[in-house]
Amino acid sequence: MSDKSETGTSTETSVGTGTPAGPQPEPLRFFGTTWVAHDGGYPVRRVAVAVGALAAAVAACFVLRFAYQGLAIADVGEFVTLLVVVMFAVCSALAFRHTWDAFTKRPDPDRQASLRGLLAIGFVGSLLAYSFRALTEAPGEKLHREEYETARRQYERRTNRRTNNPSKKHRRS
């Protein structure tokens, strides 16, 4: 039995389900599995994600500006104001770098959990990284594509290893 998969190639299907046999692509946030064949509105989604993340980052900067003005109105002092500004700048830079690296390799879950607070404070950096990455590809597409292609190759090797039933092998005498 053969069927067209999302990549447009003919593959075997699972019995009764209609889905291609073997590993399936992992869906990405906002893109589903359209990243596999770049179909289903993929380019429009990329532009929308880039613009949306950039708009969210700009809105977040306005919120941070209001917080800064609140500190100025409260007259907490130059040191506290400088400390808050530096904290947001450093956390945003670290969040940008962490988010950018997470698009090319899977982050360690323990490290991810320990950085959760820093990433929450530096959310502007994460939004900017997401926006910039969407200009070239779906964020995380390269990592998912490598993993998916590796899984497909391994599946093909396993299924093609024995094409015939070894018990029916004709022996030479």
Side-chain angles (χ1 to χ4, degrees), residues 28 35 41 49 73 83 119 121 126 168:
L28 292 175
W35 60 269
V49 165
I73 291 171
L83 194 63
L119 295 174
I121 293 169
S126 292
K168 294 183 179 179

Side-chain angles (χ1 to χ4, degrees), residues 19 22-23 37 40 44 50 60 68 74 78 101 103 106 115 120 128 147 149 152:
T19 59
V44 174
Y68 176 79
E78 293 294 320
D101 288 344
F103 295 141
R106 295 257 182 205
L115 291 176
L128 289 175
E147 291 174 350
E149 288 174 356
R152 291 296 299 174

